Amino acid sequence: MNAPEFELQTLGAVELRIPARAEWVAVARLAAAAVASRMRFSVDEIDDIKLAIAEACTSCIQRSEGVENIDIRWDALPAELRITVVGDGRGPKLESVKNGSDDKVGGLGVFLIRALMDTVEYEVDPERGPRLVMSKSVQP
Amino acid sequence: MDIKVNVRESEGDAYVVDLSGEIDVYTSPKVKDAITELIDQGHYNLVINLEKVRYIDSTGLGVLIGGLKRVREHGGSVNLVCTNPQIKKIFDITGLVKIFGIFDDEQSAMKALV
């Protein structure tokens, strides 16, 4: 018997909250792979999505002040996977603003996200935690 | 999820750092410590073997870049062994292929140090 094909419309959304600590980033990565594998992404695209999620979480941990938790939401849409990553902090770390680290290794992470995903919106509010929304299209 | 780090002496004054596992924000400090220790001991010609690395992120790349900067200050070099297409792709899109020598096997990476 053939396995039923998934209707992407029915996949809906998946949400995950992880503590904003380095040892939890792998959990977000594994969850990203699980969600992406339910859609029609190739193995290479799933690797891209895993890395993009990890970079977003790492950015929340390293570059924002007072982030205790990171909320991740995957929206499986008919033609794309949209991912929202939100840290519950109080804005960017003072030292990352002073020494310009956003343009160095932290910036490399954001550069990777932009290279691997189709669309990326990154907001760093001085008063709030970071918010990143990214998407990747499903190839027909 | 973990990273295994093995350091061994090779030809001349070169050292090989074998890495196995995943290099991310959690595991990269262990890699950094191993590279820093070698450099602090005066070893400036390194081959970092990534053949058994399944995953690397920007913090891992940052550790490799930091190591390369330090050895270059002493006239040394860091060559990488990497055959994983996904990891090669990361070096490619970040432009790091132009900074590191990346080789398919350890022998070639070692030969290019001299």
PDB file of all heavy atoms in Angstrom, chain A residues 93-102 104:
ATOM      1  N   LYS A  93      23.101  43.390  23.203  1.00  0.00           N
ATOM      2  CA  LYS A  93      24.113  43.558  24.242  1.00  0.00           C
ATOM      3  C   LYS A  93      24.932  44.806  23.964  1.00  0.00           C
ATOM      4  O   LYS A  93      25.306  45.061  22.822  1.00  0.00           O
ATOM      5  CB  LYS A  93      25.041  42.342  24.272  1.00  0.00           C
ATOM      6  CG  LYS A  93      24.469  41.178  25.041  1.00  0.00           C
ATOM      7  CD  LYS A  93      25.463  40.050  25.116  1.00  0.00           C
ATOM      8  CE  LYS A  93      24.832  38.895  25.904  1.00  0.00           C
ATOM      9  NZ  LYS A  93      25.602  37.656  25.789  1.00  0.00           N
ATOM     10  N   LEU A  94      25.221  45.553  25.026  1.00  0.00           N
ATOM     11  CA  LEU A  94      25.943  46.814  24.871  1.00  0.00           C
ATOM     12  C   LEU A  94      27.288  46.594  24.185  1.00  0.00           C
ATOM     13  O   LEU A  94      27.677  47.330  23.293  1.00  0.00           O
ATOM     14  CB  LEU A  94      26.145  47.453  26.247  1.00  0.00           C
ATOM     15  CG  LEU A  94      26.604  48.908  26.241  1.00  0.00           C
ATOM     16  CD1 LEU A  94      25.626  49.770  25.455  1.00  0.00           C
ATOM     17  CD2 LEU A  94      26.738  49.415  27.658  1.00  0.00           C
ATOM     18  N   GLU A  95      28.008  45.514  24.589  1.00  0.00           N
ATOM     19  CA  GLU A  95      29.341  45.303  24.016  1.00  0.00           C
ATOM     20  C   GLU A  95      29.286  44.995  22.528  1.00  0.00           C
ATOM     21  O   GLU A  95      30.187  45.344  21.785  1.00  0.00           O
ATOM     22  CB  GLU A  95      30.130  44.212  24.770  1.00  0.00           C
ATOM     23  CG  GLU A  95      29.473  42.858  24.818  1.00  0.00           C
ATOM     24  CD  GLU A  95      28.671  42.650  26.079  1.00  0.00           C
ATOM     25  OE1 GLU A  95      28.076  43.614  26.594  1.00  0.00           O
ATOM     26  OE2 GLU A  95      28.629  41.501  26.548  1.00  0.00           O
ATOM     27  N   SER A  96      28.183  44.339  22.072  1.00  0.00           N
ATOM     28  CA  SER A  96      28.099  44.021  20.647  1.00  0.00           C
ATOM     29  C   SER A  96      27.859  45.281  19.828  1.00  0.00           C
ATOM     30  O   SER A  96      28.197  45.355  18.659  1.00  0.00           O
ATOM     31  CB  SER A  96      27.012  42.977  20.372  1.00  0.00           C
ATOM     32  OG  SER A  96      25.737  43.562  20.417  1.00  0.00           O
ATOM     33  N   VAL A  97      27.250  46.282  20.466  1.00  0.00           N
ATOM     34  CA  VAL A  97      27.057  47.564  19.781  1.00  0.00           C
ATOM     35  C   VAL A  97      28.375  48.342  19.785  1.00  0.00           C
ATOM     36  O   VAL A  97      28.823  48.875  18.783  1.00  0.00           O
ATOM     37  CB  VAL A  97      25.953  48.391  20.486  1.00  0.00           C
ATOM     38  CG1 VAL A  97      25.820  49.763  19.834  1.00  0.00           C
ATOM     39  CG2 VAL A  97      24.628  47.652  20.438  1.00  0.00           C
ATOM     40  N   LYS A  98      29.054  48.347  20.976  1.00  0.00           N
ATOM     41  CA  LYS A  98      30.288  49.129  21.127  1.00  0.00           C
ATOM     42  C   LYS A  98      31.411  48.638  20.229  1.00  0.00           C
ATOM     43  O   LYS A  98      32.094  49.410  19.586  1.00  0.00           O
ATOM     44  CB  LYS A  98      30.767  49.046  22.587  1.00  0.00           C
ATOM     45  CG  LYS A  98      30.107  50.049  23.510  1.00  0.00           C
ATOM     46  CD  LYS A  98      30.720  49.917  24.897  1.00  0.00           C
ATOM     47  CE  LYS A  98      30.119  50.906  25.882  1.00  0.00           C
ATOM     48  NZ  LYS A  98      30.569  50.629  27.242  1.00  0.00           N
ATOM     49  N   ASN A  99      31.621  47.296  20.205  1.00  0.00           N
ATOM     50  CA  ASN A  99      32.770  46.804  19.448  1.00  0.00           C
ATOM     51  C   ASN A  99      32.420  46.398  18.015  1.00  0.00           C
ATOM     52  O   ASN A  99      33.261  45.889  17.287  1.00  0.00           O
ATOM     53  CB  ASN A  99      33.462  45.638  20.179  1.00  0.00           C
ATOM     54  CG  ASN A  99      32.582  44.409  20.258  1.00  0.00           C
ATOM     55  OD1 ASN A  99      31.647  44.257  19.491  1.00  0.00           O
ATOM     56  ND2 ASN A  99      32.892  43.520  21.185  1.00  0.00           N
ATOM     57  N   GLY A 100      31.195  46.620  17.647  1.00  0.00           N
ATOM     58  CA  GLY A 100      30.815  46.354  16.263  1.00  0.00           C
ATOM     59  C   GLY A 100      30.834  44.882  15.902  1.00  0.00           C
ATOM     60  O   GLY A 100      31.037  44.522  14.750  1.00  0.00           O
ATOM     61  N   SER A 101      30.648  43.997  16.899  1.00  0.00           N
ATOM     62  CA  SER A 101      30.731  42.563  16.613  1.00  0.00           C
ATOM     63  C   SER A 101      29.626  42.096  15.670  1.00  0.00           C
ATOM     64  O   SER A 101      29.702  41.022  15.104  1.00  0.00           O
ATOM     65  CB  SER A 101      30.706  41.742  17.903  1.00  0.00           C
ATOM     66  OG  SER A 101      29.472  41.906  18.551  1.00  0.00           O
ATOM     67  N   ASP A 102      28.595  42.925  15.513  1.00  0.00           N
ATOM     68  CA  ASP A 102      27.537  42.577  14.561  1.00  0.00           C
ATOM     69  C   ASP A 102      28.106  42.427  13.153  1.00  0.00           C
ATOM     70  O   ASP A 102      27.570  41.727  12.323  1.00  0.00           O
ATOM     71  CB  ASP A 102      26.456  43.671  14.526  1.00  0.00           C
ATOM     72  CG  ASP A 102      25.483  43.500  15.668  1.00  0.00           C
ATOM     73  OD1 ASP A 102      25.767  42.669  16.547  1.00  0.00           O
ATOM     74  OD2 ASP A 102      24.467  44.206  15.680  1.00  0.00           O
ATOM     75  N   LYS A 104      31.122  41.271  12.578  1.00  0.00           N
ATOM     76  CA  LYS A 104      32.172  40.249  12.553  1.00  0.00           C
ATOM     77  C   LYS A 104      31.543  38.868  12.565  1.00  0.00           C
ATOM     78  O   LYS A 104      30.747  38.539  11.687  1.00  0.00           O
ATOM     79  CB  LYS A 104      33.139  40.485  13.714  1.00  0.00           C
ATOM     80  CG  LYS A 104      33.881  41.819  13.531  1.00  0.00           C
ATOM     81  CD  LYS A 104      34.783  42.121  14.696  1.00  0.00           C
ATOM     82  CE  LYS A 104      35.432  43.495  14.516  1.00  0.00           C
ATOM     83  NZ  LYS A 104      36.193  43.898  15.685  1.00  0.00           N
TER      84      LYS A 104
END
